[in-house]
Amino acid sequence: AAQDSLRATELLPQYSTSWLRAGELLSDLWRIKESRQYYEKAVDLDGSLLESVEPIIKALDQKQELLDRARTNKEWPEDSVRLALDVAG
């Protein structure tokens, strides 16, 4: 599904919904920085999305902060960190 969403942004680069969906899927995969870029692109294409996307971007920033802090704990492998954070929400 993620590859299809990413491909949709290539096929329909001016369609903001494809960028939103790709951003959502990337977030689910904990590819936070990429996800944020896709959401920002959607807003660039359709400024009316700003109000609804802004809280999502803030949540992504919080997820990234958690991920960065968890990565500083060298006792856990990266996959375990992502799983723990995913379970935590």
Side-chain angles (χ1 to χ4, degrees), residues 1 6 9 12 19 22 24 26 30-31 34-35 37-41 47 49 55 63 65-66 70 73 81-83:
L6 295 174
T9 63
L12 302 166
W19 293 92
E24 182 180 358
L26 289 168
W30 283 87
R31 292 169 55 182
E34 287 176 86
S35 174
Q37 291 172 342
Y38 279 76
Y39 278 111
E40 288 172 346
K41 178 66 176 182
L49 295 172
K63 272 184 161 182
E65 185 180 327
L66 282 172
N73 181 352
V81 168
R82 287 178 187 265
L83 178 61

Side-chain angles (χ1 to χ4, degrees), residues 33-86:
K33 290 177 184 175
E34 287 176 86
S35 174
R36 191 181 203 287
Q37 291 172 342
Y38 279 76
Y39 278 111
E40 288 172 346
K41 178 66 176 182
V43 171
D44 287 345
L45 292 171
D46 182 353
S48 70
L49 295 172
L50 180 61
E51 190 174 329
S52 62
V53 170
E54 201 168 39
I56 296 169
I57 290 176
K58 286 181 183 181
L60 289 173
D61 290 343
Q62 290 173 339
K63 272 184 161 182
Q64 186 63 52
E65 185 180 327
L66 282 172
L67 188 56
D68 291 343
R69 279 192 280 157
R71 283 181 174 147
T72 62
N73 181 352
K74 301 295 181 187
E75 296 176 26
W76 290 11
E78 180 74 16
D79 290 345
S80 295
V81 168
R82 287 178 187 265
L83 178 61
L85 291 172
D86 200 29

Side-chain angles (χ1 to χ4, degrees), residues 19-30:
W19 293 92
L20 288 173
R21 289 187 180 140
E24 182 180 358
L25 287 167
L26 289 168
S27 175
D28 290 345
L29 296 171
W30 283 87

